[in-house]
Amino acid sequence: MFDITSLLSLNIIIFAPAVAALIVASPLFGTNQIYIRRFTKTFATIHLLYSLFFVAYYLYGSDNFYQEITILGNSWLSKLGINAAFGADGFTILLCAFTSLIFLFVFIISKTMIRTKHKMYYALMLVLFSSTLGIFCAKDMFVFLLFWQTELIPIFLLISQWGGVKAPKAAQKYILYNFSGSLLLMVAMISLYYYGYHANGTLSSSIDFLRIYQADNIFPELLQDIIFWCLFIGFAVKLPIIPFHTCYTSCLTEAPAPVRALISSVLINTAAYGLIRFNLDLFPELFTKFAPIIMLIAVTGILWASFGAFKQKEIVKTTAYINIVYMGFFLLGLSAANKTGFDGAFFIMFANIFVAAALSIMTGYIEQTFKTKSFQEIAGLGKFAPRLMSLSYIIIFAVIGVPLTISFSGFFLVFSGAFSADFADALMPKICTAVSFVSFILLAASGLRLLDGCFGGISQTEKKYNDITGHRLMVLLILCLFIIFFGCFPDSLMSFYSDVTDMLAEVLRV
Amino acid sequence: MQILYDNTALIYLLPLIAFLLAIFAKFFKYSVSEKSVAVVSISANALSLAFVSALIFYLFFGDFEPFSFDFIWLKTTDLTVSMGCLIDKFSVCALFVVLLTALTVQIASYKFFQDNDKFLTYFGRFNLLLFLITAFVLSSNLVQSVILAAVTGASAFLLLNLNSEKYNVMRYSRRFLIIDRIGDFCLITALFIIFYFINTYELTFEGSLLSFNNFNDIVADLYVYISDENFYILCLMIFTGICAKSGIFPFHSKPAVALYDYSPAFYFLFISLSISGSLLVIRLLPMFDLSEKIIYTILIWFALIVLYSLVYEIINRFYLHKNDNSYIVYSCLTALYVILPLTMTSKTGIFKSDLMLYMPFIFFAVLYVFWFISGEKFYCRTQTVKNISDSADIVTRFGCFAAEQVTDFLCNITRLTDKYLIPAAANIVGYCCRVKSWLISFSQNGKIRNYLIYSLIFISVMLLLYLFILLEAENINV
């Protein structure tokens, strides 16, 4: 009988976008932007449908879904113990499917937002697509690092070539920060690799193998501490965590709206994913040990970014700080080091995908309409764009965590996880949770200010503006539907990753 | 009458259908007419009201027992949140008031928003609020109540924000939502504290643990593990949350904000705010019962509100000659509305089951007083509105702030209600309108003598109401 699983291949999921990038870059379409756009959108749609097969298979096909593949057998740098290994569980599969969805949306909205150098733009986007999926599926730390570094090149070019006036400078800053972070990651990973070899006599960079090393307590305590913090800072730069946030805000301000949607929704999740897979999964004991410090970092970041979002004079910067608050909540949930906290952190990750993408598209449209980012120069859009305003209400309600929107369940789980965290100082998690509650109010103030600034009042110019229509309306509408659907039925999202959070919580307990 | 049991969800699903229809009509402009949306909306409301009336009849005079159902909404290892529906005497009484007010307001709104380009938006947002407030009233546990109270606040914000092109409307409605979030903040923090202590310092969230069906037992458990001081702080936090959600001093500017951009929805907003507060108080009565300190604190709080309003009123009336006293009066009303049940708990020997018999009277009384005050507010409107930058726009848009037009408008409502509503409700509303017209003649020119008469009547009504309830309480105690 025909086995449907033979059709499901992670190779296709990860490398098909890279192949598509080659096709786009080849002379096949010449410089015909219509063909390039149509090809990219068709490819992204097929990719999404294909990744949905994985989701369906996870839901209905298998009890213990886990797929691991090794391309090129064990021959790729086998002497060094490095294999191009990829694997996927429910959590990864869902991340891949949502990444695919967001890329499709980004390709759709790029039609009206990107006016020049289409060939290069779409090719770079597809390379970025491939490397993002590679990060999510990598089961070898050097392969992970390879994709992590590869991601930086298209991001740099996309910001500097299609961004605003100060884009080259912002792109340089972003790359400089992230490259420094990557160096720390590299130092940590090479240390793990060589120390493992000296202790065990076997060369391997497999993430699972490293987990075994660590469980046997092969590494000295000091080395473990250093590696843990190198990894943490490396991921914190991209997450971004205060004080590494400045590159993120400036890059988001200057990036074109589609790239901004990608950075804020998908790319920062790669850092969150790295934190889970490396810091938490590889070093559970250290994570428990440093959890109070991480919680303090998270709460400081949440408060700082909430105030930051409130005082900004530009709409895009406000949304950038809102993203930082979200990632702060993610870290708060993770630092709780219990099942509820993990569930909340994972939920916030997924919530951020939809909320950040929707925010970026919304602000992108406003920015394009008014040709400015300043609150002071934008007013009265509500009269001309009632549809955009209605959808913006949903997005802002999600941002501020109104129940029955996607973020609420995440916030609720994070707060309850953090509140019940089992630290030596029993009062500390309670105080941290209460303090982070304050940001809830500040977040509401900033979100509503964003609404007021853009849609309230009367436009100072006599020019008439158009409401959101066509493809952009469709994209925003679907994002809003996701926001409401997962807000009303949070279990449907949590069922994908509850096995992973169970496992993580179990590891911490042991 | 099994059908009533089986279809309870219809009570809140009908407004949801009306909301979805309004959204559909808004997005596909020519597929459904505005009139059809209004008719469906009013009919859905009327059907829900009829359903609730039947439930009231069978619960009070028939052999119906209170019942509830739950389903799990969110579940992890340490956390379970259930959503559900609790039908008891109190919830149906509260629902009756909500739905009756909503019906009168919807009928009035039909005329008020005719030829207005925001007709569909208004009906959509109104039904969304109605759906949420109905679901809130029927909440079966505290977690659900807190969650739905938060969404209700956001939905009320949408209704307030209808004319968002006016800068002040946007600004004031933003303030409204931020105050509402402060209320949510207090309530959610209190919820965490309760869970923390109930589970003896290991937080395990289980929605069914805080079910209103056995709240007495829960509080008894809680009281074992919590010190008096902590319990007092917990109660205070809950009460502060309720004040913020209901617009009680020091969060009293909330209803004033709502009044800024006048529409008939204000009546409904006022009722929703008050009901959300009073319902939470009633449901949490077993908690407040246990601490004398919190009861005294709340009473002192109430006295302060009354004093503050008097001072504020005197200064404004006699020294500043300003007419913007109304919002403090609303705050007073809501405070009375919320605090009344509290002051009558263990001190007078009234049990919760008895108390709910009086809730409809309290609701109607407040409605009555509210209509009464609204007369003056209509007149004030023409004066205060001039001070607002975009006042001209408001007047041209709605064009009904002049006194004569307002009287006509109210007469129209009376006629409409006489025609369409069940006779009892129509009589009450109609009576309120007529008494209000009579009172307007006293306070028309803002003279001190007329004002004193007006205040005297207002205070007498309040005192009578209060005395009536206390006397009844004494009777039951005997």
Side-chain angles (χ1 to χ4, degrees):
Chain A
M1 199 182 152
F2 177 68
D3 183 13
I4 195 160
T5 52
S6 62
L7 288 175
L8 301 176
S9 164
L10 279 180
N11 277 337
I12 298 174
I13 286 265
I14 299 162
F15 293 104
V19 176
L22 283 175
I23 296 170
V24 169
S26 71
L28 186 69
F29 299 119
T31 51
N32 191 326
Q33 54 162 303
I34 297 171
Y35 287 158
I36 292 171
R37 256 202 326 261
R38 282 183 186 166
F39 170 76
T40 322
K41 280 191 273 190
T42 314
F43 167 75
T45 312
I46 294 167
H47 192 277
L48 174 65
L49 292 174
Y50 187 66
S51 57
L52 287 179
F53 274 123
F54 276 83
V55 174
Y57 182 66
Y58 175 77
L59 284 177
Y60 307 110
S62 167
D63 292 334
N64 288 310
F65 179 84
Y66 179 77
Q67 197 187 41
E68 180 156 347
I69 51 146
T70 314
I71 57 163
L72 306 171
N74 289 325
S75 61
W76 195 61
L77 298 175
S78 59
K79 285 182 183 170
L80 296 174
I82 299 171
N83 287 318
F86 301 96
D89 50 20
F91 171 52
T92 313
I93 279 300
L94 198 62
L95 268 178
C96 288
F98 286 157
T99 303
S100 192
L101 180 77
I102 297 297
F103 266 96
L104 173 64
F105 286 168
V106 164
F107 290 140
I108 292 171
I109 60 160
S110 296
K111 183 185 173 186
T112 41
M113 290 181 169
I114 300 297
R115 304 280 185 196
T116 55
K117 295 181 265 186
H118 294 86
K119 198 180 182 90
M120 189 180 165
Y121 173 81
Y122 285 102
L124 286 171
M125 276 289 201
L126 287 163
V127 172
L128 189 61
F129 193 0
S130 188
S131 51
T132 309
L133 293 169
I135 290 172
F136 288 141
C137 296
K139 295 300 292 178
D140 185 289
M141 63 178 177
F142 283 113
V143 175
F144 179 89
L145 199 64
L146 184 77
F147 281 110
W148 185 271
Q149 299 274 22
T150 312
E151 210 181 54
L152 296 179
I153 304 159
I155 279 288
F156 172 74
L157 291 170
L158 285 165
I159 298 170
S160 58
Q161 293 295 308
W162 287 272
V165 185
K166 295 175 190 168
K169 204 178 166 186
Q172 278 171 20
K173 194 176 173 185
Y174 185 75
I175 293 303
L176 206 63
Y177 270 67
N178 276 285
F179 194 70
S180 312
S182 302
L183 282 180
L184 285 174
L185 288 182
M186 201 186 286
V187 167
M189 287 175 184
I190 290 172
S191 308
L192 278 172
Y193 179 71
Y194 276 105
Y195 207 87
Y197 171 66
H198 284 295
N200 219 23
T202 315
L203 273 173
S204 177
S205 57
S206 159
I207 292 173
D208 291 333
F209 206 50
L210 288 167
R211 192 187 288 128
I212 297 163
Y213 282 160
Q214 206 281 330
D216 290 347
N217 274 328
I218 283 172
F219 305 127
E221 206 171 313
L222 181 67
L223 182 71
Q224 283 189 35
D225 287 0
I226 292 169
I227 292 173
F228 180 88
W229 284 108
C230 280
L231 288 170
F232 184 84
I233 296 168
F235 293 124
V237 172
K238 201 171 189 179
L239 199 54
I241 290 170
I242 309 280
F244 307 112
H245 65 289
T246 51
C247 68
Y248 179 76
T249 49
S250 56
C251 131
L252 227 62
T253 315
E254 293 304 322
V259 179
R260 195 189 306 148
L262 276 183
I263 296 173
S264 60
S265 67
V266 176
L267 297 195
I268 59 173
N269 271 353
T270 56
Y273 183 81
L275 263 178
I276 294 166
R277 288 293 189 217
F278 284 86
N279 283 74
L280 183 55
D281 205 4
L282 287 187
F283 300 99
E285 281 176 20
L286 284 184
F287 198 88
T288 319
K289 180 181 157 189
F290 294 121
I293 302 173
I294 297 173
M295 189 176 270
L296 279 178
I297 294 172
V299 172
T300 316
I302 289 169
L303 276 185
W304 185 283
S306 308
F307 278 112
F310 186 62
K311 67 169 194 177
Q312 290 310 312
K313 289 174 182 168
E314 291 183 3
I315 47 169
V316 181
K317 272 205 168 159
T318 308
T319 59
Y321 275 96
I322 287 170
N323 285 148
I324 299 171
V325 176
Y326 265 61
M327 284 298 117
F329 277 115
F330 162 77
L331 202 62
L332 181 67
L334 223 55
S335 65
N338 56 26
K339 161 84 175 148
T340 312
F342 293 154
D343 277 333
F346 280 48
F347 209 98
I348 288 282
M349 257 180 94
F350 287 111
N352 184 62
I353 291 178
F354 296 106
V355 173
L359 262 179
S360 300
I361 295 169
M362 177 191 121
T363 50
Y365 180 81
I366 294 166
E367 195 188 328
Q368 202 182 25
T369 309
F370 282 91
K371 309 270 186 279
T372 178
K373 291 169 187 162
S374 169
F375 275 123
Q376 288 174 339
E377 295 165 48
I378 302 169
L381 192 60
K383 191 178 174 186
F384 304 104
R387 276 194 289 247
L388 178 67
M389 190 171 72
S390 307
L391 296 173
S392 302
Y393 274 125
I394 297 173
I395 298 164
I396 296 296
F397 279 175
V399 165
I400 66 178
V402 169
L404 306 186
T405 59
I406 192 168
S407 314
F408 176 77
S409 308
F411 285 142
F412 195 72
L413 288 162
V414 165
F415 284 139
S416 49
F419 194 82
S420 56
D422 186 19
F423 292 169
D425 181 2
L427 202 61
M428 187 231 167
K430 274 90 196 157
I431 294 171
C432 282
T433 315
V435 171
S436 59
F437 257 151
V438 176
S439 71
F440 224 43
I441 296 162
L442 285 169
L443 208 58
S446 346
L448 295 175
R449 195 164 152 263
L450 196 69
L451 270 183
D452 287 10
C454 302
F455 300 100
I458 296 165
S459 175
Q460 288 168 3
T461 59
E462 289 184 0
K463 195 179 164 188
K464 285 190 175 179
Y465 301 101
N466 295 325
D467 198 356
I468 193 163
T469 50
H471 56 283
R472 281 183 293 193
L473 175 66
M474 187 196 72
V475 167
L476 218 49
L477 195 64
I478 294 171
L479 285 172
C480 287
L481 287 176
F482 271 113
I483 286 171
I484 294 171
F485 178 80
F486 288 127
C488 292
F489 308 102
D491 262 351
S492 57
L493 195 59
M494 284 170 65
S495 59
F496 280 94
Y497 63 74
S498 59
D499 291 348
V500 181
T501 51
D502 273 339
M503 189 266 287
L504 288 173
E506 194 57 42
V507 168
L508 286 190
R509 260 183 228 127
V510 173
Chain B
M1 282 296 109
Q2 188 61 30
I3 193 167
L4 288 179
Y5 272 116
D6 295 341
N7 299 299
T8 319
L10 273 181
I11 297 172
Y12 52 79
L13 284 181
L14 284 167
L16 180 66
I17 292 165
F19 160 69
L20 292 175
L21 183 74
I23 294 283
F24 180 80
K26 178 81 187 165
F27 270 86
F28 304 97
K29 276 184 179 168
Y30 302 103
S31 53
V32 185
S33 71
E34 289 182 347
K35 196 176 176 182
S36 321
V37 171
V39 168
V40 169
S41 176
I42 292 168
S43 312
N45 194 336
L47 270 173
S48 290
L49 184 65
F51 200 107
V52 169
S53 307
L55 277 175
I56 289 178
F57 179 78
Y58 284 105
L59 274 170
F60 280 91
F61 308 109
D63 53 354
F64 260 37
E65 291 295 321
F67 66 99
S68 65
F69 62 83
D70 286 289
F71 63 91
I72 292 171
W73 178 65
L74 181 65
K75 187 174 170 61
T76 71
T77 317
D78 306 330
L79 186 145
T80 312
V81 179
S82 325
M83 291 275 176
C85 184
L86 170 65
I87 300 279
D88 61 1
K89 286 181 181 175
F90 179 72
S91 60
V92 288
C93 287
L95 263 187
F96 185 76
V97 177
V98 167
L99 289 167
L100 181 62
T101 317
L103 188 63
T104 52
V105 168
Q106 288 214 61
I107 292 166
S109 305
Y110 178 66
K111 203 164 175 86
F112 193 84
F113 280 97
Q114 241 175 6
D115 306 322
N116 190 314
D117 57 353
K118 291 196 172 151
F119 187 92
L120 288 173
T121 315
Y122 171 80
F123 271 92
R125 290 181 187 184
F126 187 92
N127 277 297
L128 178 66
L129 180 61
L130 183 59
F131 156 64
L132 291 169
I133 192 81
T134 320
F136 168 77
V137 171
L138 291 173
S139 299
S140 63
N141 62 64
L142 184 58
V143 185
Q144 186 187 356
S145 284
V146 171
I147 289 173
L148 285 172
V151 203
T152 308
S155 175
F157 161 80
L158 282 178
L159 202 56
L160 286 176
N161 211 5
L162 192 69
N163 293 308
S164 54
E165 66 274 10
K166 295 187 193 89
Y167 179 70
N168 280 337
V169 169
M170 201 72 166
R171 197 157 62 96
Y172 289 147
S173 50
R174 182 173 66 179
R175 199 200 295 169
F176 172 90
L177 191 57
I178 290 169
I179 290 175
D180 201 79
R181 298 304 281 171
I182 293 170
D184 295 334
F185 164 76
C186 292
L187 290 174
I188 292 176
T189 311
L191 207 60
F192 279 112
I193 296 171
I194 293 174
F195 273 115
Y196 178 62
F197 282 108
I198 279 186
N199 295 295
T200 54
Y201 316 110
E202 276 180 25
L203 191 111
T204 309
F205 242 98
E206 210 174 308
S208 56
L209 268 180
L210 288 190
S211 167
F212 290 133
N213 279 327
N214 55 344
F215 207 70
N216 277 315
D217 302 337
I218 294 161
V219 174
D221 278 352
L222 180 68
Y223 203 63
V224 174
Y225 295 107
I226 195 165
S227 66
D228 280 350
E229 289 74 25
N230 283 342
F231 192 75
Y232 174 70
I233 292 168
L234 176 66
C235 292
L236 200 63
M237 191 161 265
I238 291 177
F239 190 73
T240 313
I242 291 169
C243 286
K245 300 235 48 125
S246 302
I248 296 172
F249 181 83
F251 306 102
H252 54 280
S253 57
K254 227 174 144 183
V257 166
L259 253 181
Y260 173 76
D261 194 30
Y262 177 76
S263 81
F266 172 66
Y267 294 94
F268 184 60
L269 275 172
F270 181 75
I271 288 295
S272 345
L273 290 177
S274 307
I275 282 191
S276 55
S278 53
L279 193 98
L280 278 173
V281 163
I282 296 284
R283 294 295 191 201
L284 300 177
L285 270 184
M287 261 182 96
F288 291 109
D289 255 357
L290 283 175
S291 171
E292 278 191 16
K293 223 169 25 171
I294 190 72
I295 295 284
Y296 284 122
T297 309
I298 292 167
L299 281 173
I300 293 167
W301 193 322
F302 185 56
L304 280 174
I305 297 169
V306 175
L307 273 175
Y308 172 80
S309 6
L310 278 174
V311 172
Y312 190 90
E313 187 116 6
I314 288 165
I315 291 173
N316 266 335
R317 281 279 171 177
F318 301 109
Y319 295 98
L320 299 177
H321 303 287
K322 273 167 73 179
N323 233 348
D324 59 347
N325 63 314
S326 307
Y327 68 87
I328 194 68
V329 178
Y330 298 134
S331 172
C332 261
L333 270 176
T334 323
L336 187 75
Y337 206 25
V338 173
I339 288 165
L340 210 59
L342 268 176
T343 55
M344 298 181 340
T345 53
S346 53
K347 303 288 164 268
T348 55
I350 287 194
F351 298 107
K352 197 174 84 175
S353 55
D354 300 316
L355 190 68
M356 62 196 169
L357 291 170
Y358 302 103
M359 290 316 291
F361 294 105
I362 299 170
F363 286 136
F364 277 119
V366 175
L367 258 179
Y368 171 89
V369 178
F370 181 67
W371 277 94
F372 170 143
I373 297 166
S374 69
E376 206 210 16
K377 185 65 197 172
F378 275 119
Y379 279 89
C380 295
R381 194 77 205 163
T382 48
Q383 295 161 28
T384 53
V385 86
K386 282 171 192 157
N387 303 325
I388 302 162
S389 59
D390 46 4
S391 60
D393 188 23
I394 294 175
V395 175
T396 47
R397 180 178 286 276
F398 297 117
C400 61
F401 291 110
E404 295 79 7
Q405 281 167 316
V406 171
T407 320
D408 289 347
F409 167 68
L410 286 169
C411 288
N412 281 336
I413 297 176
T414 319
R415 272 202 292 274
L416 278 169
T417 49
D418 278 338
K419 194 175 172 184
Y420 292 115
L421 288 183
I422 51 169
N427 282 338
I428 291 163
V429 179
Y431 181 67
C432 291
C433 291
R434 280 189 282 276
V435 172
K436 192 200 64 55
S437 312
W438 171 66
L439 286 165
I440 283 171
S441 61
F442 280 102
S443 55
Q444 200 164 20
N445 301 319
K447 286 178 184 171
I448 295 171
R449 183 174 56 85
N450 293 340
Y451 175 68
L452 281 176
I453 294 169
Y454 152 76
S455 306
L456 201 65
I457 296 170
F458 169 66
I459 292 164
S460 310
V461 170
M462 278 292 139
L463 278 175
L464 274 173
L465 169 74
Y466 197 65
L467 279 173
F468 164 73
I469 294 166
L470 285 181
L471 281 173
E472 287 296 315
E474 284 298 318
N475 285 339
I476 287 169
N477 207 20
V478 170

